[in-house]
Amino acid sequence: MARTAGSHSDITGPRVREAALRLFARHGFAAVSMRQIAGEVGVQAGALYNYTPDKQSLLFSLLKGHMDELLAAWTAEKSAGDPAARLEQFTRFHIRFNVERPEAIFISYMELRNLSPENFEVVEALRRAYENELEAILHDGVTAGQLEVPDTKIATLAVIAMLTGVNTWYRAGGRLSLAEVEQIYWDMVRRAVGG
Amino acid sequence: MARTAGSHSDITGPRVREAALRLFARHGFAAVSMRQIAGEVGVQAGALYNYTPDKQSLLFSLLKGHMDELLAAWTAEKSAGDPAARLEQFTRFHIRFNVERPEAIFISYMELRNLSPENFEVVEALRRAYENELEAILHDGVTAGQLEVPDTKIATLAVIAMLTGVNTWYRAGGRLSLAEVEQIYWDMVRRAVGG
DNA sequence: TTTAAAACTGAACATACGTTCAGTTCAATC
DNA sequence: GATTGAACTGAACGTATGTTCAGTTTTAAA
């Protein structure tokens, strides 16, 4: 029997997500209508409901998907070794990952407040899991006597805030290459945590 | 003659701004209706138009007012002296100022995209002026041989991003006092810029 | 070529939006 | 206590919103 007759949701589905991501990043979740998203995809608004039960779920799916991707990428890349090396690896990874996905990063910070409480908790838990990765490195560094941090929790948040700030100004093809940016930030991070 | 008969716009006006600030910070500019703002103030929506020509101008007024206040406060507080001392002063000032106005800070970063191009330019220029205050300190510090910064522009943005990040977690009455927070961040900033 | 599921349209739904405005209420001046 | 203008109401305006759904088109398997 025709199990997948007429189907090309595997084409439209991703296009809906891409359009929503771009528009949410540019104008904000509340300012974007389902008709605008549909217009970008070249489809009527009603067709979107083949891909999301509602607008709120679409946002949640984008944010959760981004966090899953972030954690998976870090898990795949991270290595054992001494804390200073791991800290450098984290620093470079975070910058590179963020710079490659400015829109996803943007809405992950901006649109949390538009999630329902349950959905917020899910995304927030993933964010904390990512922060814990850095905190573990800092903690190990202090234990090993390689780093000097009065409060690893605060240092974690300070470092992440500093690194994520790259996204507010970095543009590919600008004055500095990504490698230069990574190096400058790594120097600052290393010194900030007494490494 | 009755020049100011029936007037108490000096009461309602600020209340409109406070309600708008709070609601914009909590739910986002686009997600907040004029009727919600009016409801918070205890007035009908039409009455708001005695205080702003439209919703967009209300947002602009809040953002511009905040930036003016920020620059005025720093101008009043900053002193001459050696760069390291000025950097410490800036660090402590920025943390304190931000922590006292979490909502204004929040919308100043989040709602820029909802400003018209002309209004955006105005606010953006003020933000750059503030950044230039820090960059001048770093520049003087490098010139004086007190600091070691490969790129003052990037260091400026990195430091501000790090300091502004305090707002994402700091709550009055929490684990750390404001003085402790200032000290921890000042230690990190000082080391990050080689001071 | 038939068939049936998937994809999509187009119109409709109730509701909400920003903004305007004629009319009413209020409070300060005379 | 009368007057006058500011402050505000309440209803209306055109338009837009998220979502639903009966009906049509498209696609791939049979």
Side-chain angles (χ1 to χ4, degrees):
Chain A
M1 279 303 173
R3 292 292 303 144
T4 53
S7 77
H8 54 277
S9 71
D10 53 336
I11 297 174
T12 307
R15 293 191 61 206
V16 168
R17 295 172 61 84
E18 286 157 21
L21 182 68
R22 186 169 53 250
L23 289 170
F24 289 166
R26 191 124 57 200
H27 306 108
F29 174 73
V32 173
S33 71
M34 295 300 267
R35 284 170 180 81
Q36 277 177 70
I37 298 170
E40 288 269 304
V41 177
V43 104
Q44 292 296 318
L48 299 182
Y49 291 83
N50 289 318
Y51 305 100
T52 180
D54 50 43
K55 194 187 176 191
Q56 157 79 205
S57 302
L58 180 53
L59 175 64
F60 172 64
S61 170
L62 290 173
L63 294 191
K64 168 130 172 32
H66 169 70
M67 291 308 299
D68 286 340
E69 209 184 333
L70 172 66
L71 282 163
W74 170 242
T75 299
E77 179 159 332
K78 76 171 175 179
S79 55
D82 85 315
R86 285 157 61 204
L87 181 58
E88 178 173 0
Q89 190 176 33
F90 183 92
T91 299
R92 294 182 184 274
F93 167 80
H94 188 89
I95 291 176
R96 213 175 330 112
F97 193 90
N98 276 23
V99 155
E100 284 168 3
R101 299 160 178 77
E103 289 164 339
I105 299 294
F106 198 71
I107 70 167
S108 285
Y109 277 85
M110 305 280 265
E111 306 296 355
L112 288 171
R113 61 188 170 183
N114 285 307
L115 291 176
S116 68
E118 318 87 74
N119 288 345
F120 175 80
E121 266 314 311
V122 173
V123 175
E124 190 67 1
L126 293 170
R127 198 174 61 82
R128 272 195 300 268
Y130 182 66
E131 288 170 2
N132 287 343
E133 292 289 318
L134 174 56
E135 192 177 1
I137 294 172
L138 294 179
H139 179 80
D140 291 354
V142 170
T143 302
Q146 280 191 338
L147 304 180
E148 191 186 331
V149 177
D151 189 306
T152 56
K153 190 75 207 157
I154 289 191
T156 296
L157 297 170
V159 167
I160 287 181
M162 185 171 119
L163 297 180
T164 303
V166 173
N167 261 29
T168 64
W169 60 267
Y170 178 83
R171 296 294 174 269
R175 177 166 66 88
L176 296 167
S177 72
L178 186 54
E180 288 171 322
V181 173
E182 283 182 25
Q183 189 60 48
I184 291 172
Y185 272 82
W186 164 234
D187 284 342
M188 286 193 289
V189 167
R190 180 175 42 78
R191 295 201 281 208
V193 298
Chain B
M1 281 300 173
R3 293 293 299 147
T4 53
S7 76
H8 51 278
S9 70
D10 52 335
I11 297 174
T12 306
R15 292 191 60 207
V16 169
R17 296 172 60 84
E18 286 157 21
L21 182 68
R22 185 169 54 249
L23 288 171
F24 289 167
R26 190 124 57 200
H27 306 108
F29 174 73
V32 173
S33 71
M34 295 298 269
R35 284 171 179 83
Q36 277 177 70
I37 299 170
E40 288 271 303
V41 177
V43 103
Q44 291 296 317
L48 299 182
Y49 291 83
N50 290 319
Y51 306 100
T52 180
D54 50 41
K55 195 188 176 191
Q56 158 80 204
S57 303
L58 180 53
L59 175 63
F60 173 64
S61 169
L62 290 173
L63 294 191
K64 167 128 169 40
H66 169 70
M67 291 310 299
D68 286 341
E69 209 184 333
L70 172 66
L71 281 162
W74 170 243
T75 300
E77 180 158 332
K78 76 171 174 179
S79 55
D82 85 315
R86 285 156 62 204
L87 181 59
E88 177 171 1
Q89 192 176 32
F90 183 92
T91 298
R92 293 182 184 276
F93 166 81
H94 188 89
I95 290 175
R96 214 177 327 113
F97 193 89
N98 276 23
V99 156
E100 283 168 3
R101 299 160 178 78
E103 289 164 339
I105 299 295
F106 198 71
I107 69 167
S108 286
Y109 278 85
M110 306 279 265
E111 305 296 354
L112 289 172
R113 61 187 170 184
N114 284 308
L115 292 175
S116 67
E118 318 88 74
N119 287 346
F120 175 80
E121 266 315 310
V122 173
V123 175
E124 191 67 0
L126 293 169
R127 199 173 60 83
R128 273 195 299 269
Y130 183 67
E131 288 170 2
N132 288 342
E133 291 288 319
L134 174 55
E135 191 176 4
I137 294 172
L138 294 179
H139 179 80
D140 291 354
V142 171
T143 302
Q146 280 191 339
L147 305 180
E148 190 186 332
V149 176
D151 188 306
T152 56
K153 190 72 206 161
I154 290 191
T156 297
L157 297 170
V159 167
I160 288 182
M162 184 170 119
L163 296 179
T164 304
V166 173
N167 262 30
T168 63
W169 59 267
Y170 178 84
R171 298 293 174 270
R175 178 166 64 91
L176 297 166
S177 72
L178 186 52
E180 289 170 321
V181 173
E182 283 182 26
Q183 189 60 47
I184 291 172
Y185 273 83
W186 163 233
D187 284 342
M188 287 193 287
V189 167
R190 180 174 43 75
R191 295 200 281 208
V193 298

